[in-house]
Amino acid sequence: MTISTRTLGTTGPVTSALGLGLMGMSDLYGRSDDIESIVTIRAALDAGVTLLDSGDFYGVGHNELLLREALAGRDRESVVVSVKFGILRGPDGGWNGVDTRPAAIKNALAYTLRRIGTDYVDIYRPARLDPNVPIEDTVGALAELVDAGYIRHIGLSEVGADTLRRAHAVHPISDLQIEYSLISRGIEASILPAARELGIGVTAYGVLSRGLISGHWSPDRSGDFRSSLPRFGGEHLERNLALVESLREIAEARGASVAQAAIAWVLAQGDDIVPLVGARTRERLAESLGALDLTLDAADLAAIERAVPTDAASGDRYDARQMSILDSER
Ligand SMILES: NC(=O)c1ccc[n+]([C@@H]2O[C@H](COP(=O)([O-])OP(=O)(O)OC[C@H]3O[C@@H](n4cnc5c(N)ncnc54)[C@H](OP(=O)(O)O)[C@@H]3O)[C@@H](O)[C@H]2O)c1
């Protein structure tokens, strides 16, 4: 099977038009099954997905060990491995802030390379801006790792336009990883235009809003990290699920599922955007890959935007504390 490709920014790698995000296979989204996770990653590679996104803190190393198993026996050069670092965890699984000091970056990368069983990472990125470290220092240290051949590209995550500019002035940035979906359109005002001006690609996460607009979410499904997200609770949830039903009508009229319409909408926002889907099973993967066969024309896009207008989401995408520390929300 061939999947169309996209290039991440002017300096980034060529990847499949859809990437697979591995976070939910280790953390935050309730119970997962390691065997199914590995089989799903391999099925994605077999289908032509070349971009795999992980983080050293997803399951405190567990995610990278899954990746190691999934990549065993595969052609490493044909896969674009994206890894986030900088989030501090504790032995109890707790969250202890951010550290992107140069020495911490080198230490984290050393462990990541060993866990994944590779001698380079294709895109390495701080998961969050460290308030105590100038972005120039962080990117400067990453640039040294590029020169040494340990990483191929530098990415960023959840930063705003000013940080993008400062970082890009130190070393070309391949892509910004940031939440973008029909109900999370905050990047359209200044972040996406800045990325485009600088030639930086976007790897969009949460294109299904962490499952909320997948068409498979139901109010009785809770109990994981998502219970802390405003959009998943009470009246917000009710309103957001009503939007999903409006989208369902449009999707079904085109012979597609809700998830496929939501992913295809992101794909239609520009060739510089690569959606990362969080499929954790082969079934969800197959559904999301179907979005690549759904071409939305101008009338379809207009109908979708009437059903889910720009600011239609009810509730913030993160809790109040997270919203206050996100560089991308300043
Ligand atoms: N940089 C950052 O700050 C950041 C933050 C979050 C995520 N990410 C990255 O982005 C990736 C994707 O984010 P996400 O996992 O929140 O994305 P998502 O695709 O919006 O949500 C995934 C959730 O939707 C459910 N789902 C329902 N139908 C689906 C379908 N057809 N295809 C895929 N999933 C479906 C998933 O599986 P189940 O129904 O099986 O539960 C899962 O619970 C992550 O894995 C991670 O690599 C980055």
Side-chain angles (χ1 to χ4, degrees):
M1 182 173 166
T2 40
I3 289 184
S4 57
T5 58
R6 293 185 170 188
T7 306
L8 290 178
T10 47
T11 62
V14 174
T15 75
S16 48
L18 209 61
L20 182 67
L22 312 186
M23 179 182 79
M25 296 176 177
S26 301
D27 231 334
L28 300 171
Y29 291 175
R31 210 135 55 94
S32 59
D33 176 308
D34 284 358
I35 301 291
E36 182 63 27
S37 296
I38 291 164
V39 172
T40 301
I41 299 169
R42 290 190 181 149
L45 294 172
D46 291 340
V49 171
T50 60
L51 175 62
L52 300 178
D53 183 69
S54 181
D56 59 12
F57 51 96
Y58 291 163
V60 198
H62 176 265
N63 209 242
E64 294 179 323
L65 294 172
L66 278 181
L67 185 53
R68 178 195 190 94
E69 274 200 67
L71 291 179
R74 299 280 172 159
D75 171 21
R76 174 69 185 83
E77 278 292 313
S78 65
V79 184
V80 176
V81 172
S82 157
V83 178
K84 291 179 290 300
F85 66 88
I87 303 286
L88 304 175
R89 305 287 303 261
D92 59 351
W95 303 85
N96 295 326
V98 184
D99 185 354
T100 70
R101 290 170 301 155
I105 295 176
K106 287 172 186 162
N107 179 69
L109 180 63
Y111 281 88
T112 281
L113 294 176
R114 183 57 70 97
R115 274 190 297 263
I116 298 178
T118 182
D119 48 17
Y120 68 95
V121 166
D122 296 270
I123 312 174
Y124 200 48
R125 72 184 82 238
R128 293 287 181 269
L129 183 67
D130 184 337
N132 300 312
V133 181
I135 189 67
E136 288 81 0
D137 293 2
T138 299
V139 175
L142 291 167
E144 282 177 29
L145 294 169
V146 171
D147 289 343
Y150 295 119
I151 64 179
R152 296 218 166 144
H153 302 278
I154 301 173
L156 291 172
S157 168
E158 284 291 351
V159 299
D162 287 350
T163 304
L164 262 190
R165 286 182 205 287
R166 285 171 54 190
H168 195 69
V170 176
H171 186 280
I173 302 298
S174 63
D175 67 298
L176 169 65
Q177 189 173 112
I178 196 158
E179 186 166 359
Y180 187 43
S181 75
L182 262 171
I183 65 165
S184 297
R185 298 182 59 174
I187 71 168
E188 290 173 359
S190 67
I191 297 175
L192 187 56
R196 287 184 165 153
E197 178 198 320
L198 298 168
I200 297 173
V202 169
T203 41
Y205 78 79
V207 293
L208 299 177
S209 194
R210 302 174 182 271
L212 180 59
I213 59 165
S214 66
H216 300 294
W217 194 262
S218 63
D220 57 354
R221 197 182 150 171
S222 63
D224 58 43
F225 158 77
R226 289 169 286 199
S227 310
S228 73
L229 302 177
R231 289 182 178 175
F232 283 82
E235 281 179 19
H236 290 317
L237 180 63
E238 242 173 70
R239 285 193 212 118
N240 292 328
L241 289 180
L243 295 173
V244 173
E245 291 319 303
S246 313
L247 182 60
R248 193 186 301 277
E249 271 178 40
I250 297 167
E252 285 179 356
R254 282 151 190 80
S257 70
V258 176
Q260 288 167 345
I263 297 166
W265 180 87
V266 176
L267 281 164
Q269 302 313 303
D271 282 348
D272 52 349
I273 301 175
V274 174
L276 293 172
V277 294
R280 311 189 302 159
T281 60
R282 283 164 287 176
E283 193 186 347
R284 298 289 198 232
L285 174 70
E287 182 186 16
S288 44
L289 290 176
L292 292 163
D293 298 324
L294 177 64
T295 306
L296 301 172
D297 63 21
D300 296 330
L301 291 168
I304 288 175
E305 299 208 13
R306 271 196 303 278
V308 186
T310 303
D311 292 318
S314 190
D316 283 334
R317 62 194 184 97
Y318 280 102
D319 67 21
R321 198 190 70 83
Q322 279 288 326
M323 289 297 282
S324 72
I325 57 177
L326 279 176
D327 189 58
S328 50
E329 294 288 342
R330 299 240 155 88

